[in-house]
Amino acid sequence: MSSTASGTTSTSSGTWRNWAGNVTARPVREVTPASVDELSAAVRQAAEDGLRVKAVGTGHSFTAAAATDGVLIRPQLLTGIRGIDRDAMTVTVEAGTPLKRLNMALAREGLSLTNMGDIMEQTVSGATSTGTHGTGRESASIAVQIRGLELVTADGSVLTCSENGTAEERAVFAAARIGIGALGIVTAITFAVEPLFLLTAREEPMAFDRVLAEFDELWAENEHFEFYWFPHTGNTNTKRNNRSAGPEKPVPPLSGWFEDEFLSNGVFQVANWVGRAVPATVPTIARISSRALSARTYTDIPYKVFTSPRRVRFVEMEYAVPRAALADTLRELKAMVDRSPLRVSFPVEVRTAPADDITLSTASGRDSAYVAVHMFKGTPYRAYFTAAERIFTAHEGRPHWGKVHTRDADYLSGVYPRFGEFTALRDRLDPDRRFQNDYLRRVLGS
């Protein structure tokens, strides 16, 4: 192992695994740069050695987007807030900063992101590069909140871009907000922020048929609407988040622990162990699980409402379909599960996003609904995911870049109108494919 003043480079003899354990990689070496200069030097050295380069965050992607047999960049020393501009209402943060730390730091400053996903463990660059999103009528994607990016490109130079830059910088900005690691290694992100606000969450069970019948109304009447359908049942749990004038009324600590930790994580973990060992028990467990959580309403700051702990490990596939196609997609998914021998112990998550202008965003140019299917870690998932994917693609679905799917560049170029714009930019920024890996070769072409 060699070390610089503060970063480290090591010859890798180990295997890298993602959070779900379904992706592994054996890089030649790992680099943990402590500055942008060190990262640039690592990219230049990789080029001299003829090695590919990939950055990896916390491994929350279920695809091999970050896997490499070359140089693996670990950004955990590139963390923290560089600066807050209260006039522009922006915050600039180092790429390796976990969303959890960013959200907590912003709250201490009386600030918040407008929207976020439900998991806070990812790094800001990993989350945005793969298109992580929450749910919302007017906002959903974390990447849409980006106002500026800094990235190290294939020749080791540092490129900054924003919507106010030169024509080339604007083209990079349009694509690199969700760049899947194909255009360079993101080193810092500037996000739009707003004064800290309160959200009132209303969670309640609702019949599957009723949710679909009233979906347009539920979407229109709430700033943030989502629901979970439990396969093998006709039951869902719905969640509506809307801005509130207060007062703050958080979930009481004891009931919060009971519902969010004991039921949603502890009991759910045990139920999945039982279901994995004895698949015939899954429908019964699903019926019990779908009724375990009672209705509740609470008011708190955004990250305490939008996010929740996810300790039960799983593998996930998620597709964005046109919002108008959601009801048909879900009815087909339910019919498929009902008539199949599949036993699915994890609920199906449904969220929405408005159309945006990011080149390879799953909501690029169209109002979208997201349908996410999950299987407990260690349970065979291919039969379920294959059948679900057939339904999603029949509705011109776009797969989440960080979740399991089998699509390739031929398919993706047909569902993304600006696909060629992205690949042309990649040809300019990384002609030698320094940031290539097997996953990018499949989804973007050679």
Side-chain angles (χ1 to χ4, degrees):
M1 176 184 292
S2 63
S3 64
T4 60
S6 42
T8 62
T9 300
S10 63
T11 301
S12 178
S13 57
T15 299
W16 172 83
R17 284 182 175 80
N18 68 339
W19 178 82
N22 68 311
V23 176
T24 59
R26 291 183 66 85
V28 170
R29 63 173 177 260
E30 295 184 7
V31 180
T32 308
S35 67
V36 176
D37 286 344
E38 287 182 15
L39 176 51
S40 294
V43 172
R44 286 194 295 270
Q45 185 62 53
E48 286 179 26
D49 297 340
L51 296 171
R52 309 283 187 207
V53 186
K54 297 305 293 181
V56 62
T58 54
H60 267 267
S61 287
F62 302 93
T63 63
T68 185
D69 57 4
V71 178
L72 191 71
I73 304 289
R74 292 187 176 273
Q76 61 255 38
L77 299 180
L78 298 174
T79 62
I81 291 176
R82 281 192 188 175
I84 295 172
D85 184 336
R86 291 184 183 271
D87 293 328
M89 286 304 280
T90 59
V91 58
T92 300
V93 60
E94 302 271 358
T97 308
L99 283 167
K100 185 173 188 175
R101 279 179 54 192
L102 174 62
N103 285 328
M104 293 171 74
L106 288 175
R108 287 195 297 270
E109 296 286 340
L111 300 169
S112 177
L113 296 173
T114 297
N115 204 346
M116 56 197 78
D118 66 350
I119 295 175
M120 285 203 296
E121 311 309 320
Q122 309 112 302
T123 60
V124 293
S125 57
T128 54
S129 294
T130 54
T132 297
H133 60 90
T135 189
R137 192 180 57 207
E138 278 96 30
S139 71
S141 168
I142 301 177
V144 167
Q145 299 165 74
I146 295 176
R147 295 295 173 267
L149 277 175
E150 176 187 274
L151 62 160
V152 171
T153 56
D155 62 1
S157 61
V158 179
L159 174 65
T160 57
C161 60
S162 72
E163 56 198 344
N164 301 316
T166 64
E168 176 70 0
E169 287 168 355
R170 290 197 302 274
V172 174
F173 183 72
R177 283 175 286 172
I178 299 179
I180 339 170
L183 305 177
I185 296 177
V186 176
T187 49
I189 301 174
T190 298
F191 290 105
V193 292
E194 58 178 297
L196 193 64
F197 55 93
L198 292 174
L199 285 169
T200 292
R202 178 181 163 196
E203 299 174 5
E204 66 175 337
M206 194 178 289
F208 178 85
D209 290 337
R210 183 186 162 196
V211 172
L212 292 195
E214 299 178 11
F215 177 76
D216 288 341
E217 191 179 317
L218 289 162
W219 172 83
E221 289 178 353
N222 295 283
E223 291 174 74
H224 309 277
F225 177 70
E226 64 186 300
F227 66 94
Y228 296 84
W229 164 58
F230 293 80
H232 312 295
T233 80
N235 306 325
T236 78
N237 277 348
T238 64
K239 184 174 182 179
R240 294 168 241 203
N241 299 330
N242 290 287
R243 294 198 183 213
S244 168
E248 211 168 310
K249 191 182 176 187
V251 177
L254 184 58
S255 66
W257 173 84
F258 181 74
E259 298 208 331
D260 298 328
E261 288 292 351
F262 181 71
L263 288 180
S264 296
N265 284 293
V267 172
F268 189 55
Q269 173 90 46
V270 173
N272 275 280
W273 281 335
V274 172
R276 186 172 65 189
V278 190
T281 62
V282 166
T284 301
I285 291 170
R287 286 191 290 274
I288 295 168
S289 296
S290 69
R291 294 191 174 98
L293 297 174
S294 54
R296 64 177 182 176
T297 302
Y298 53 96
T299 303
D300 214 328
I301 60 175
Y303 83 83
K304 294 185 178 180
V305 174
F306 283 132
T307 69
S308 51
R310 289 279 183 270
R311 307 198 202 289
V312 182
R313 300 210 177 201
F314 53 84
V315 179
E316 180 179 359
M317 168 183 281
E318 181 181 64
Y319 267 75
V321 297
R323 200 181 70 232
L326 175 65
D328 286 345
T329 303
L330 283 175
R331 287 192 186 99
E332 290 164 27
L333 188 66
K334 185 176 188 300
M336 179 273 290
V337 171
D338 288 347
R339 69 172 178 262
S340 77
L342 294 168
R343 293 294 174 258
V344 182
S345 61
F346 248 85
V348 172
E349 183 179 23
V350 181
R351 295 175 288 174
T352 67
D356 65 45
D357 65 347
I358 302 175
T359 315
L360 289 189
S361 164
T362 43
S364 183
R366 75 182 188 195
D367 293 339
S368 300
Y370 294 95
V371 183
V373 297
H374 313 68
M375 281 296 251
F376 183 49
K377 183 182 175 183
T379 305
Y381 62 84
R382 293 194 189 281
Y384 177 37
F385 284 12
T386 298
E389 190 171 42
R390 200 172 291 129
I391 293 166
F392 300 148
T393 55
H395 293 283
E396 297 190 337
R398 298 169 177 170
H400 188 298
W401 297 110
K403 297 177 186 179
V404 175
H405 69 93
T406 67
R407 300 299 88 188
D408 61 15
D410 284 345
Y411 174 87
L412 295 164
S413 62
V415 294
Y416 282 98
R418 297 169 67 188
F419 190 85
E421 189 181 315
F422 187 94
T423 54
L425 178 65
R426 181 187 183 216
D427 288 341
R428 295 202 300 277
L429 291 181
D430 188 14
D432 298 325
R433 300 295 186 258
R434 186 64 46 215
F435 304 115
Q436 175 85 290
N437 63 6
D438 290 343
Y439 178 72
L440 291 183
R441 189 177 293 109
R442 170 163 67 88
V443 299
L444 297 177
S446 305

